[in-house]
Amino acid sequence: MSLQAYKTAATRAENPREMEYRLFGQVTRALMHASTVDPTDVATRIDAIDWNRRLWSALATDCANPDNTMPKSLRAQIISISLFVSRHSSAIMRGEDNFDALIDINRMVMQGLAGPGTAQAA
């Protein structure tokens, strides 16, 4: 079986929560790697930060949709986190802060997606 066929089969077997968990894991690993590279490796840092920003922007866009059935307070919190992620990402690129807060936020979301009793880590 080809790698693409495996990826397609794996995606079909996942429920949306599992896919979100996997995506957050991939993005968080990219952030963790970017946090360890030399600050002059701007491409690696930008790629990870941009991927994380796009993930949070997509979540915020979905939460802004009036047809979204999640509770309004949760949707507002996700939008707020998305705004924080954007601001903090800019601070990282200016050299004013580090990746820790972004990694921590993503890990907390992953814990929530994993549910109780599941000890999975990024």
Side-chain angles (χ1 to χ4, degrees):
M1 176 176 351
S2 74
L3 180 59
Q4 186 57 42
Y6 173 78
K7 286 180 181 177
T8 301
T11 300
R12 287 185 189 147
E14 290 177 321
N15 66 43
R17 189 179 195 111
E18 291 166 337
M19 282 192 286
E20 289 174 354
Y21 182 91
R22 183 174 46 84
L23 178 57
F24 266 100
Q26 292 169 343
V27 171
T28 305
R29 280 188 296 277
L31 289 172
M32 292 168 69
H33 172 69
S35 74
T36 65
V37 301
D38 190 280
T40 61
D41 186 355
V42 177
T44 299
R45 295 167 65 90
I46 286 175
D47 285 347
I49 286 173
D50 181 56
W51 192 10
N52 193 54
R53 271 186 181 170
R54 286 184 289 128
L55 170 61
W56 280 100
S57 177
L59 293 171
T61 299
D62 187 47
C63 287
N65 183 340
D67 295 331
N68 187 309
T69 59
M70 288 190 331
K72 285 185 180 184
S73 62
L74 178 58
R75 291 169 36 199
Q77 290 171 346
I78 291 170
I79 292 169
S80 179
I81 294 170
S82 175
L83 295 171
F84 171 82
V85 165
S86 182
R87 286 189 309 270
H88 194 77
S89 296
S90 295
I92 293 169
M93 291 312 300
R94 288 190 306 268
E96 298 169 359
D97 218 323
N98 61 42
F99 287 83
D100 293 347
L102 299 181
I103 293 167
D104 289 345
I105 289 168
N106 286 7
R107 283 181 167 167
M108 284 186 266
V109 170
M110 290 174 69
Q111 288 173 349
L113 289 169
T118 305
Q120 297 177 345

